[in-house]
Amino acid sequence: MDQAVKTNPVKSRGEMGEMFYHLIRDPLGLTGLVIVVLIVFSAAFAGQIVPYDPIALNIPDRLQGPSLSHLLGTDQLGRDTFSRMVMGGRVALQVALPTIIGAVSIGTLLGMIAGYGPRWLDNLILLFFDTIRSFPTVMFALAVVALIGPSLNTVVFVIMATSIPTYGRVVRTMTQSLKSSEFIDAEKSLGATTKRILGVHILPNVLGPIAVLAAMDIPTIVGLEAGLSFLGMGVRPPTPSWGSLLNDGYALIRNTPWPIIAGGLPLILTTLGFTFLGEALRDVVDPKLRGRGGAR
Amino acid sequence: MNTPVLDIKNLSVGYHTQRGRLKALRNVSFAIPQNSIVGIVGESGCGKSTLISAIIRLLAGNAEIGSGQILFKNDDLLAKTENQMRALRGVDLSMVFQDPMRTHNPVLTIGRQMTDIQYRDQLTKAQKKERAAEMLSLVGIPDAAERLNQYPHEFSGGMRQRIAIAMALMARPSLLIADEPTTALDATLEVQIIKRLRELQSEIGCSILFISHHLGVIAELCDYVVVMYAGEVIEQGPVREVFHTPAHPYTSALLRCDPGNIREKTRNLPTIPGEIPDLVDLPAGCVFQSRCAQAVDSCVTARPEFRNVAGGHSAACHLLGEEVPA
Amino acid sequence: MLTYIIKRLGLSLVITILAVSLLFAIIHMIPGDPVSTMLGPKASPELRAALEERMGLDKPLPVQIGLFFINMLRGDLGTDVFSNRSVTEIVLGQVPYTLSLIAAAICWSAVLGIFLGCYSAVRRNSLIDRMTGVLSVSVIAVPAFVVSLYSLLFFAVQLRWFPAIGAGEPGNLPDQLWHLVLPAFAIGLSWVGYIARLVRASMLEILGENHIRTARAFGLPENWITFRYALRLAILPTVTVLGVGMGFLLSAAVFTEIVFSRPGLGKLVIDSITTRNYPVVMGSVLFSTLIFVASTTISDIINALADPRIRSSS
């Protein structure tokens, strides 16, 4: 009797709403969501939040430990570590967002074409994917950087290029299985064009899992940017990036641990936040795991 | 002494589910005499799987044995420890399952799997292999010794089921439980395998508990039949008796609906209208009552007792009149 | 079986060719040219022409690729711009360090990961299962170089338990192993969680399958069922994962080598980039790609060997 009352309100929430509802219920998902919102917020409003200008030099105050005026101390040039940390988030997102959007779009497009189109095209695209995937990511990034020099755009381009096959393959597999399903046949018999089938019928079904994949991928991308910046192959100084913070910290490792902590902590938080969120999203997107609503 | 090989007394098994306790088996009682084949017949949900899982004590985690005894050669299986049960499984009490395609480990050779199950025997590896090859030829697999080195996917479905039977009978068990062994095979294969099973049974002298919903096979193979419905035994007796003169309305309906029984051409196959009741929330009275064409008032309120119909043939139905308990 | 191996090797070859061509194509497609990058914009025309000729950059692209392949097959990856030594020699000198680091990381993480995964599957919802679950979700995704830095900070600098620099004295095996501990730990940490989850999921799936039920119905001992019957099947995806994971491992090795100042391919690449030693950069990237392709090929072949179903179906 209780159940009959419960099922009605859930239905009227709509698909997105229901996903959100279940997401909040999961403690891990909630934690992830909170962390992610915190990070995005602090990155977006970094300019307003930071107590000091992250690139302002202040040599007399260099290498201080944490204090009330400098929450995480200062680095070798007297810059406030905390401010640099917060600003670093902005760089991280500046890299992550275009990369994800680019990789997802191109990967999804190619994946759909590969899954839906003729065999030869599929093989060609697959070969293209496999070739890109045959490079260890960082090595490839370093090779490109060696040639065109380090910069934010280089990083975005390289990471996007190496991420495309990940999304492409998944979309391809899903498209392939959808292609042979009955409702596609029905649409075809009604004369739907390929463009329409791909855009209206296949694409929405593919977006859910892709969203999960993207959420899980963001930590990797952010980590990669940080790594490249750490090696001096990413963003140029004095732009603060978590990676360059770690680089400074590495040089100062025997003097003070704080820059390393300041650089690593946001990376760990970002990783945890998006991973928890992604895992919870996956549980929600996969209807088999969603609640116990199965009928007998 | 004519102790039955298996004597099940008042067995009740339930499952803990979110909705409550699912009473899968209620007061099930029947016996399997020595050197005989007993069939169990019933539609999905009648409790067959729970019954055999209970016998070999491989029930799911949320299952609970409410009451009853399972006497295997006068020894209560429910009182045994897991180690004692393990000593019995595959030796004195074996099983053949329904799906031959997935019943063997795909990455081990048949020979390896057949020698593994002999791990309790003090034989050399060569002797175990020989025994395995012997058993394979007995079930009709040619070139047995060679084929021991092959993997399951190199055999057809019918052959895999024969291998399963060979494995089950290798230790000469007292009881073989066959859970719908021919359901996944086509009719000609079914006939061959049933024939072979019967030959093996008389050779080895074991008893077989044969579960099926194919009435023709039961009639062909079994000496006795037990009819189950929604977790209860509702009729049992010698197979000829029960199938010729069914005492319970469910049994009559089953027989009527069996495709093998249909005499005239028809477009509509007969079915029994309705569904099995909710096993969590059981109705009072007879469990078949809601689908029974001959139900009377007492069927709704009181559970029928088992009554004797003829020698050894009994059924649980109010319509049978006299109160002579079976 | 043989056909499968040949087909697989053939595919690897094609991919390698394409990868090399891709690298070349990128070099030529991007704005700016490597000569300027190497010599700086103020270099004289004669110097540039000389370098171009020396690096073969004046020839058309397909010819360059072809020449490179021919040379590659002869083991010649070019010469180092500054010291005139063969790139192949330089690269091969560093490869053993990187490979030993990766091998050490795989060893400990795979062993621990498989054990934890197996245990978690057999004893579901035990403390170990839940702890492994939470830790692996959180630890997996933390970038390996962050783990390296923190390990360096904590275990080497603050606690002084392990050395912070280098690979140890050449010829002194115990010393070298001691220097391997922290880096291998850092790289392997995220893998333990990943492998544990994979094995756990695999095992749970397999333990629910019919053939395991059959094995139980025949009274086989529980530990036989876990190890001989279930784990044998559950390990197969792990092998594939390790093969593909080589790419990640190579990337992680780059960072770890820098953090711990260890010799290896990673350090070689970074140093060559800073000195603009273009042939060495290309040589090392190519070599690491070859290692990666080889490892995926090998793991696919091992997979086929271990699973008789794949063998016969091709």
PDB file of all heavy atoms in Angstrom, chain C residues 92-110:
ATOM      1  N   LEU C  92      68.714   2.802 -25.539  1.00  0.00           N
ATOM      2  CA  LEU C  92      68.815   1.466 -24.962  1.00  0.00           C
ATOM      3  C   LEU C  92      69.551   1.463 -23.635  1.00  0.00           C
ATOM      4  O   LEU C  92      69.328   0.601 -22.791  1.00  0.00           O
ATOM      5  CB  LEU C  92      69.527   0.523 -25.943  1.00  0.00           C
ATOM      6  CG  LEU C  92      68.645   0.016 -27.082  1.00  0.00           C
ATOM      7  CD1 LEU C  92      69.436  -0.871 -28.017  1.00  0.00           C
ATOM      8  CD2 LEU C  92      67.454  -0.743 -26.531  1.00  0.00           C
ATOM      9  N   GLY C  93      70.416   2.425 -23.443  1.00  0.00           N
ATOM     10  CA  GLY C  93      71.127   2.505 -22.179  1.00  0.00           C
ATOM     11  C   GLY C  93      70.197   2.836 -21.020  1.00  0.00           C
ATOM     12  O   GLY C  93      70.432   2.442 -19.887  1.00  0.00           O
ATOM     13  N   GLN C  94      69.136   3.567 -21.327  1.00  0.00           N
ATOM     14  CA  GLN C  94      68.229   3.989 -20.254  1.00  0.00           C
ATOM     15  C   GLN C  94      67.051   3.067 -20.043  1.00  0.00           C
ATOM     16  O   GLN C  94      66.443   3.057 -18.972  1.00  0.00           O
ATOM     17  CB  GLN C  94      67.692   5.399 -20.569  1.00  0.00           C
ATOM     18  CG  GLN C  94      68.767   6.446 -20.714  1.00  0.00           C
ATOM     19  CD  GLN C  94      69.562   6.569 -19.451  1.00  0.00           C
ATOM     20  OE1 GLN C  94      68.999   6.711 -18.361  1.00  0.00           O
ATOM     21  NE2 GLN C  94      70.872   6.486 -19.566  1.00  0.00           N
ATOM     22  N   VAL C  95      66.706   2.325 -21.103  1.00  0.00           N
ATOM     23  CA  VAL C  95      65.513   1.475 -21.021  1.00  0.00           C
ATOM     24  C   VAL C  95      65.511   0.513 -19.832  1.00  0.00           C
ATOM     25  O   VAL C  95      64.490   0.384 -19.148  1.00  0.00           O
ATOM     26  CB  VAL C  95      65.307   0.704 -22.353  1.00  0.00           C
ATOM     27  CG1 VAL C  95      64.330  -0.432 -22.175  1.00  0.00           C
ATOM     28  CG2 VAL C  95      64.815   1.637 -23.424  1.00  0.00           C
ATOM     29  N   PRO C  96      66.630  -0.167 -19.542  1.00  0.00           N
ATOM     30  CA  PRO C  96      66.583  -1.120 -18.417  1.00  0.00           C
ATOM     31  C   PRO C  96      66.122  -0.485 -17.113  1.00  0.00           C
ATOM     32  O   PRO C  96      65.398  -1.122 -16.344  1.00  0.00           O
ATOM     33  CB  PRO C  96      68.026  -1.598 -18.288  1.00  0.00           C
ATOM     34  CG  PRO C  96      68.627  -1.386 -19.613  1.00  0.00           C
ATOM     35  CD  PRO C  96      67.945  -0.205 -20.207  1.00  0.00           C
ATOM     36  N   TYR C  97      66.493   0.748 -16.856  1.00  0.00           N
ATOM     37  CA  TYR C  97      66.080   1.383 -15.596  1.00  0.00           C
ATOM     38  C   TYR C  97      64.571   1.532 -15.550  1.00  0.00           C
ATOM     39  O   TYR C  97      63.913   1.235 -14.552  1.00  0.00           O
ATOM     40  CB  TYR C  97      66.722   2.759 -15.450  1.00  0.00           C
ATOM     41  CG  TYR C  97      68.199   2.703 -15.176  1.00  0.00           C
ATOM     42  CD1 TYR C  97      69.126   2.982 -16.180  1.00  0.00           C
ATOM     43  CD2 TYR C  97      68.674   2.371 -13.920  1.00  0.00           C
ATOM     44  CE1 TYR C  97      70.477   2.930 -15.941  1.00  0.00           C
ATOM     45  CE2 TYR C  97      70.032   2.315 -13.670  1.00  0.00           C
ATOM     46  CZ  TYR C  97      70.931   2.600 -14.676  1.00  0.00           C
ATOM     47  OH  TYR C  97      72.269   2.539 -14.441  1.00  0.00           O
ATOM     48  N   THR C  98      64.024   2.035 -16.659  1.00  0.00           N
ATOM     49  CA  THR C  98      62.576   2.231 -16.694  1.00  0.00           C
ATOM     50  C   THR C  98      61.845   0.904 -16.599  1.00  0.00           C
ATOM     51  O   THR C  98      60.881   0.758 -15.860  1.00  0.00           O
ATOM     52  CB  THR C  98      62.167   2.944 -18.002  1.00  0.00           C
ATOM     53  OG1 THR C  98      62.924   4.135 -18.130  1.00  0.00           O
ATOM     54  CG2 THR C  98      60.689   3.273 -17.992  1.00  0.00           C
ATOM     55  N   LEU C  99      62.323  -0.086 -17.358  1.00  0.00           N
ATOM     56  CA  LEU C  99      61.641  -1.375 -17.337  1.00  0.00           C
ATOM     57  C   LEU C  99      61.700  -2.027 -15.960  1.00  0.00           C
ATOM     58  O   LEU C  99      60.726  -2.638 -15.515  1.00  0.00           O
ATOM     59  CB  LEU C  99      62.243  -2.316 -18.384  1.00  0.00           C
ATOM     60  CG  LEU C  99      61.824  -2.015 -19.828  1.00  0.00           C
ATOM     61  CD1 LEU C  99      62.410  -3.031 -20.776  1.00  0.00           C
ATOM     62  CD2 LEU C  99      60.305  -1.993 -19.951  1.00  0.00           C
ATOM     63  N   SER C 100      62.816  -1.887 -15.283  1.00  0.00           N
ATOM     64  CA  SER C 100      62.899  -2.522 -13.967  1.00  0.00           C
ATOM     65  C   SER C 100      61.966  -1.818 -12.993  1.00  0.00           C
ATOM     66  O   SER C 100      61.350  -2.454 -12.138  1.00  0.00           O
ATOM     67  CB  SER C 100      64.331  -2.557 -13.439  1.00  0.00           C
ATOM     68  OG  SER C 100      64.878  -1.268 -13.426  1.00  0.00           O
ATOM     69  N   LEU C 101      61.839  -0.516 -13.141  1.00  0.00           N
ATOM     70  CA  LEU C 101      60.912   0.220 -12.274  1.00  0.00           C
ATOM     71  C   LEU C 101      59.489  -0.255 -12.515  1.00  0.00           C
ATOM     72  O   LEU C 101      58.737  -0.548 -11.581  1.00  0.00           O
ATOM     73  CB  LEU C 101      61.034   1.720 -12.548  1.00  0.00           C
ATOM     74  CG  LEU C 101      60.083   2.630 -11.791  1.00  0.00           C
ATOM     75  CD1 LEU C 101      60.263   2.445 -10.308  1.00  0.00           C
ATOM     76  CD2 LEU C 101      60.300   4.079 -12.178  1.00  0.00           C
ATOM     77  N   ILE C 102      59.121  -0.345 -13.787  1.00  0.00           N
ATOM     78  CA  ILE C 102      57.756  -0.768 -14.120  1.00  0.00           C
ATOM     79  C   ILE C 102      57.517  -2.199 -13.669  1.00  0.00           C
ATOM     80  O   ILE C 102      56.468  -2.525 -13.104  1.00  0.00           O
ATOM     81  CB  ILE C 102      57.509  -0.648 -15.633  1.00  0.00           C
ATOM     82  CG1 ILE C 102      57.497   0.824 -16.014  1.00  0.00           C
ATOM     83  CG2 ILE C 102      56.205  -1.311 -16.022  1.00  0.00           C
ATOM     84  CD1 ILE C 102      57.236   1.060 -17.468  1.00  0.00           C
ATOM     85  N   ALA C 103      58.507  -3.057 -13.883  1.00  0.00           N
ATOM     86  CA  ALA C 103      58.336  -4.453 -13.476  1.00  0.00           C
ATOM     87  C   ALA C 103      58.118  -4.554 -11.977  1.00  0.00           C
ATOM     88  O   ALA C 103      57.237  -5.279 -11.512  1.00  0.00           O
ATOM     89  CB  ALA C 103      59.564  -5.265 -13.890  1.00  0.00           C
ATOM     90  N   ALA C 104      58.921  -3.798 -11.227  1.00  0.00           N
ATOM     91  CA  ALA C 104      58.773  -3.840  -9.770  1.00  0.00           C
ATOM     92  C   ALA C 104      57.382  -3.372  -9.368  1.00  0.00           C
ATOM     93  O   ALA C 104      56.731  -3.962  -8.501  1.00  0.00           O
ATOM     94  CB  ALA C 104      59.838  -2.975  -9.115  1.00  0.00           C
ATOM     95  N   ALA C 105      56.924  -2.295 -10.020  1.00  0.00           N
ATOM     96  CA  ALA C 105      55.602  -1.764  -9.669  1.00  0.00           C
ATOM     97  C   ALA C 105      54.517  -2.784  -9.964  1.00  0.00           C
ATOM     98  O   ALA C 105      53.616  -3.014  -9.158  1.00  0.00           O
ATOM     99  CB  ALA C 105      55.336  -0.466 -10.432  1.00  0.00           C
ATOM    100  N   ILE C 106      54.593  -3.406 -11.145  1.00  0.00           N
ATOM    101  CA  ILE C 106      53.576  -4.389 -11.519  1.00  0.00           C
ATOM    102  C   ILE C 106      53.593  -5.558 -10.551  1.00  0.00           C
ATOM    103  O   ILE C 106      52.551  -6.014 -10.076  1.00  0.00           O
ATOM    104  CB  ILE C 106      53.814  -4.922 -12.946  1.00  0.00           C
ATOM    105  CG1 ILE C 106      53.547  -3.845 -13.969  1.00  0.00           C
ATOM    106  CG2 ILE C 106      52.918  -6.116 -13.225  1.00  0.00           C
ATOM    107  CD1 ILE C 106      53.679  -4.329 -15.383  1.00  0.00           C
ATOM    108  N   CYS C 107      54.788  -6.043 -10.237  1.00  0.00           N
ATOM    109  CA  CYS C 107      54.897  -7.218  -9.368  1.00  0.00           C
ATOM    110  C   CYS C 107      54.133  -7.026  -8.082  1.00  0.00           C
ATOM    111  O   CYS C 107      53.230  -7.774  -7.753  1.00  0.00           O
ATOM    112  CB  CYS C 107      56.362  -7.480  -9.022  1.00  0.00           C
ATOM    113  SG  CYS C 107      57.104  -8.620 -10.146  1.00  0.00           S
ATOM    114  N   TRP C 108      54.513  -5.999  -7.352  1.00  0.00           N
ATOM    115  CA  TRP C 108      53.901  -5.900  -6.031  1.00  0.00           C
ATOM    116  C   TRP C 108      52.432  -5.536  -6.112  1.00  0.00           C
ATOM    117  O   TRP C 108      51.598  -6.069  -5.344  1.00  0.00           O
ATOM    118  CB  TRP C 108      54.678  -4.947  -5.123  1.00  0.00           C
ATOM    119  CG  TRP C 108      54.319  -3.505  -5.195  1.00  0.00           C
ATOM    120  CD1 TRP C 108      54.869  -2.565  -5.997  1.00  0.00           C
ATOM    121  CD2 TRP C 108      53.323  -2.824  -4.430  1.00  0.00           C
ATOM    122  NE1 TRP C 108      54.286  -1.360  -5.786  1.00  0.00           N
ATOM    123  CE2 TRP C 108      53.343  -1.475  -4.838  1.00  0.00           C
ATOM    124  CE3 TRP C 108      52.414  -3.221  -3.451  1.00  0.00           C
ATOM    125  CZ2 TRP C 108      52.484  -0.519  -4.282  1.00  0.00           C
ATOM    126  CZ3 TRP C 108      51.555  -2.270  -2.904  1.00  0.00           C
ATOM    127  CH2 TRP C 108      51.607  -0.930  -3.331  1.00  0.00           C
ATOM    128  N   SER C 109      52.068  -4.658  -7.050  1.00  0.00           N
ATOM    129  CA  SER C 109      50.678  -4.238  -7.101  1.00  0.00           C
ATOM    130  C   SER C 109      49.779  -5.345  -7.623  1.00  0.00           C
ATOM    131  O   SER C 109      48.652  -5.508  -7.151  1.00  0.00           O
ATOM    132  CB  SER C 109      50.518  -2.975  -7.929  1.00  0.00           C
ATOM    133  OG  SER C 109      50.871  -3.212  -9.267  1.00  0.00           O
ATOM    134  N   ALA C 110      50.271  -6.132  -8.581  1.00  0.00           N
ATOM    135  CA  ALA C 110      49.436  -7.206  -9.107  1.00  0.00           C
ATOM    136  C   ALA C 110      49.216  -8.277  -8.044  1.00  0.00           C
ATOM    137  O   ALA C 110      48.091  -8.736  -7.830  1.00  0.00           O
ATOM    138  CB  ALA C 110      50.075  -7.838 -10.351  1.00  0.00           C
TER     139      ALA C 110
END
